[in-house]
């Protein structure tokens, strides 16, 4: 039952031997036990060859972290053949889209709607603390000048947080409010990095605006 | 204001149904003896993905012993999650398992209530230990998963008059089925497991008529034997060669210490059989 030489698009069952850890890198849906790689999901086996560095290596002119030793092909088990619904969890470093639920002077409570590319089934709560709103002049940040309830915010997960909330941050240019409605109830458009304007009344409201891609 | 939450009975008076008497059967004569070889399990039907609303589900049916009034085991398992924990629970770096096993009111000879009774709680906690050894819990931080099993038919001989303490032995069969069906449903839900865990039962029985030494059978049906001396239910990971849960009950003759390990060995053999069913049923769903 244990296949020693995994061919591409073979069916894997949890606990099935995929290969030695000295020859493959573990990808999603696999685990290592006693220096062997085993499947941990039901699905199809995929072996991805590592990407070779294109061309001759340029002369180093700045200090970069040493590249990971990615010479080994990565083996992963994908469930896409079994079912298209797959629960995902927000992880540290993911970019998420969320809706602001309520604001306090110290934090904004949001509901995480989309994690990466996938729409989440379960409702996960997140928290943007006042010191995580932007990278500069953190002591002048006011939550009510950055978010309002109902705004759609693009943010990054910085921590799994406490029992109930993920901790999110918008301290990058491309993170922040991407959709906002004015007090009059109209959808607004961004005018600069800290203002949204209502097209009908002409009033502008302060927000932490996300830089468009 | 009418009660909208419950399905109430009709308002007026009703008459209980009157059934024709069944032909009297001679007790003892109707007793069905085991025809399978001691190392053969009953046939099993397993299908995953039966409940569309759940993230994972499975249905398990074990055949009857051939006698009309002996029902087989019918289990339906749904897995909900991984989903966010309620606000009151403390931070957990791994997934929190909660298992619920419930007999349907009509599943056994004795009618079951709607609330969970101690035997159902017991089955649930045994199931939880069996599954916890198989799940890679730290892949899903801050989340919980609910595993709900309803026992639709409880594998009991409805005509057996004497109760020979059969309740406990029936629970073992039910537990082994619960482990098998929950393992298939967990895999269907896409929750990371180190292996497909499966349950198996072996028992030391004394048969009617022969006064010879007791023998060990796997997948026992209590009504087919004169007396069950001891039984064990194991949850076993075949590829890891590990036991995640072991439930042993009964008396063994003190003279034979080998018997204990033999019984566990046979339980493992039974669970290997049910694991084959899981593997082939899972393979069918891919594609």
């Amino acid at each position: 039952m244990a296949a020693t030489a995994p061919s591409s698009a073979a069916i894997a069952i949890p606990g099935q031997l995929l290969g030695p850890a000295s020859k493959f890198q573990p990808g999603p849906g696999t685990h290592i036990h006693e220096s062997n790689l085993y499947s941990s999901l039901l699905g199809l086996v995929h072996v991805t060859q590592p990407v070779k560095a294109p061309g001759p290596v340029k002369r180093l002119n700045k200090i970069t972290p040493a590249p990971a030793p990615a010479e080994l092909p990565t083996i992963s088990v994908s469930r896409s053949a079994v079912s298209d619904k797959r629960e995902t969890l927000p992880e540290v470093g993911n970019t998420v889209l969320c809706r602001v639920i309520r604001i306090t002077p110290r934090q904004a409570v949001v509901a995480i709607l989309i994690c990466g590319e996938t729409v989440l089934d379960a409702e996960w709560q997140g928290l943007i603390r006042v010191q995580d709103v932007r990278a500069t002049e953190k002591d002048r940040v006011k939550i009510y000048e950055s978010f309002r309830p109902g705004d759609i915010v693009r943010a990054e997960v910085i921590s799994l947080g406490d029992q109930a909330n993920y901790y999110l941050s918008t301290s990058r240019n491309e993170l922040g409010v991407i959709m906002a409605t004015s007090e009059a109830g109209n959808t607004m458009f961004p005018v600069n990095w800290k203002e949204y304007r209502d097209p009908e009344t002409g009033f502008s409201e302060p927000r932490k605006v996300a830089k468009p891609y | 204001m009418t009660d909208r939450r419950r399905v109430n009975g009709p308002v007026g008076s009703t008459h209980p149904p009157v059934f024709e008497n069944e032909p009297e059967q001679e007790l003892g004569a109707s007793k069905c003896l085991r025809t399978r070889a001691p190392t053969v399990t009953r046939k099993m039907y397993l299908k995953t993905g039966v409940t569309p609303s759940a993230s994972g589900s499975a249905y398990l049916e074990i055949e009857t012993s051939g006698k009309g009034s002996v029902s087989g085991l019918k289990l339906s398992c749904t897995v909900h999650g991984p989903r966010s924990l309620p606000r009151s629970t403390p931070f957990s770096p791994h997934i929190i398992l909660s298992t619920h096993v419930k007999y349907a009111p009509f599943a056994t000879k004795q009618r079951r209530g709607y609330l969970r009774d101690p035997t159902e709680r017991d089955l649930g906690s045994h199931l939880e230990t069996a599954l916890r050894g198989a799940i890679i819990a730290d892949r899903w931080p801050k989340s919980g998963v609910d595993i709900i099993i309803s026992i639709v038919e409880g594998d009991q001989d409805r005509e057996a008059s004497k109760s020979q303490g059969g309740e406990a032995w029936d629970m073992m069969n039910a537990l082994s089925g619960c482990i098998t069906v929950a393992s298939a449903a967990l895999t269907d839900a896409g929750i990371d497991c180190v292996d497909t865990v499966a349950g198996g039962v072996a028992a030391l029985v004394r048969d009617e008529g022969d006064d010879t030494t007791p023998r060990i059978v796997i997948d026992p049906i209590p009504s087919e034997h004169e007396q069950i001396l001891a039984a064990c239910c194991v949850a076993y990971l075949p590829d890891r060669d590990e036991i995640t849960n072991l439930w042993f009950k009964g008396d063994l003759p003190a003279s034979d210490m080998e018997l204990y390990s033999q019984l566990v060995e046979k339980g493992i053999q039974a669970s290997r059989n049910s694991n084959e069913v899981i593997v082939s049923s899972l393979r069918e769903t891919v594609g």
Side-chain angles (χ1 to χ4, degrees), chain B residues 123-188:
Chain B
L123 283 176
S125 62
H126 273 295
L127 179 66
E128 192 183 336
T129 11
L131 297 177
R132 192 178 285 159
I135 285 184
I136 309 177
D138 45 357
R139 292 270 165 101
W140 302 92
K142 289 179 65 168
S143 44
V145 63
D146 292 323
I147 297 155
I148 297 153
I149 295 186
S150 33
I151 303 179
V152 182
E153 224 169 305
D155 197 13
Q156 280 194 344
D157 189 349
R158 278 161 199 266
E159 282 177 16
S161 55
K162 55 178 178 181
S163 65
Q164 47 168 247
E167 187 85 328
W169 313 123
D170 284 329
M171 259 176 84
M172 285 213 168
N173 273 340
L175 177 65
S176 118
C178 285
I179 294 167
T180 310
V181 76
S183 158
L186 272 179
T187 312
D188 185 46

Side-chain angles (χ1 to χ4, degrees), chain A residues 63-106:
Chain A
I63 298 169
T64 51
E71 289 94 45
L72 299 174
T74 307
I75 202 161
S76 60
V77 176
S78 84
R79 273 174 52 80
S80 52
V82 186
S83 73
D84 22 312
K85 61 173 175 186
R86 161 97 168 113
E87 310 275 341
T88 41
L89 290 185
E91 279 176 42
V92 173
N94 281 2
T95 305
V96 296
L97 294 185
C98 40
R99 178 188 288 121
V100 179
I101 298 174
R102 59 180 179 272
I103 57 173
T104 67
R106 297 185 150 272

Side-chain angles (χ1 to χ4, degrees), chain B residues 73-89:
Chain B
L73 188 65
K74 287 177 187 160
L75 302 171
S76 159
C77 175
T78 52
V79 173
H80 296 277
R83 56 186 175 191
S84 53
L85 290 169
R87 294 183 63 86
S88 55
T89 42

Side-chain angles (χ1 to χ4, degrees), chain B residues 30-46:
Chain B
S30 68
K31 199 156 178 73
C32 185
L33 291 177
R34 185 180 172 113
T35 48
R36 285 174 289 138
T39 56
V40 173
T41 48
R42 285 176 287 171
K43 281 185 187 142
M44 212 181 266
Y45 173 80
L46 181 67

Side-chain angles (χ1 to χ4, degrees), chain B:
Chain B
M1 185 68 190
T2 50
D3 187 1
R4 291 170 194 238
R5 299 205 175 197
R6 277 153 281 267
V7 179
N8 288 318
V11 184
S13 67
T14 53
H15 298 285
V18 181
F19 297 107
E20 207 174 309
N21 281 337
E22 278 191 34
E24 288 287 319
Q25 267 185 326
E26 188 112 358
L27 288 172
S30 68
K31 199 156 178 73
C32 185
L33 291 177
R34 185 180 172 113
T35 48
R36 285 174 289 138
T39 56
V40 173
T41 48
R42 285 176 287 171
K43 281 185 187 142
M44 212 181 266
Y45 173 80
L46 181 67
K47 186 175 167 66
T48 54
V50 286
T51 314
S53 57
S55 9
S57 57
Y59 175 76
L60 175 82
E61 203 172 303
I62 297 180
E63 68 161 359
T64 59
S65 58
K67 199 168 110 184
S69 62
V70 182
S71 65
L73 188 65
K74 287 177 187 160
L75 302 171
S76 159
C77 175
T78 52
V79 173
H80 296 277
R83 56 186 175 191
S84 53
L85 290 169
R87 294 183 63 86
S88 55
T89 42
F91 178 83
S92 145
H94 47 76
I95 201 165
I96 291 180
L97 264 180
S98 61
T99 50
H100 302 264
V101 178
K102 185 78 195 83
Y103 279 93
F106 47 83
T108 47
K109 208 162 43 170
Q110 203 154 34
R111 200 171 162 80
R112 299 278 178 156
Y114 290 97
L115 298 174
R116 279 196 296 159
D117 62 11
T119 58
E120 287 161 346
R121 282 170 209 282
D122 207 15
L123 283 176
S125 62
H126 273 295
L127 179 66
E128 192 183 336
T129 11
L131 297 177
R132 192 178 285 159
I135 285 184
I136 309 177
D138 45 357
R139 292 270 165 101
W140 302 92
K142 289 179 65 168
S143 44
V145 63
D146 292 323
I147 297 155
I148 297 153
I149 295 186
S150 33
I151 303 179
V152 182
E153 224 169 305
D155 197 13
Q156 280 194 344
D157 189 349
R158 278 161 199 266
E159 282 177 16
S161 55
K162 55 178 178 181
S163 65
Q164 47 168 247
E167 187 85 328
W169 313 123
D170 284 329
M171 259 176 84
M172 285 213 168
N173 273 340
L175 177 65
S176 118
C178 285
I179 294 167
T180 310
V181 76
S183 158
L186 272 179
T187 312
D188 185 46
I191 293 169
D192 299 69
C193 294
V194 294
D195 204 344
T196 47
V197 63
V201 184
L204 183 71
V205 297
R206 179 179 290 133
D207 278 327
E208 213 167 356
D210 56 353
D211 299 325
T212 52
T213 49
R215 61 187 179 132
I216 296 177
V217 294
I218 68 174
D219 194 13
I221 302 176
S223 63
E224 284 182 348
H225 303 286
E226 169 74 18
Q227 194 188 5
I228 294 185
L229 301 170
C232 84
C233 175
V234 291
Y236 177 70
L237 305 173
D239 289 335
R240 283 277 180 104
D241 191 28
E242 282 173 20
I243 290 178
T244 58
N245 186 39
L246 174 65
W247 184 19
F248 194 93
K249 194 178 162 70
D251 294 321
L252 285 182
S255 56
D256 200 353
M257 292 308 288
E258 275 289 288
L259 219 50
Y260 176 80
S261 52
Q262 275 175 19
L263 209 54
V264 175
E265 198 87 354
K266 292 283 182 191
I268 290 174
Q269 193 187 338
S271 88
R272 274 185 188 278
N273 284 353
S274 27
N275 189 69
E276 273 174 34
V277 178
I278 298 181
V279 167
S280 57
S281 154
L282 288 177
R283 275 185 191 280
E284 275 174 24
T285 59
V286 185

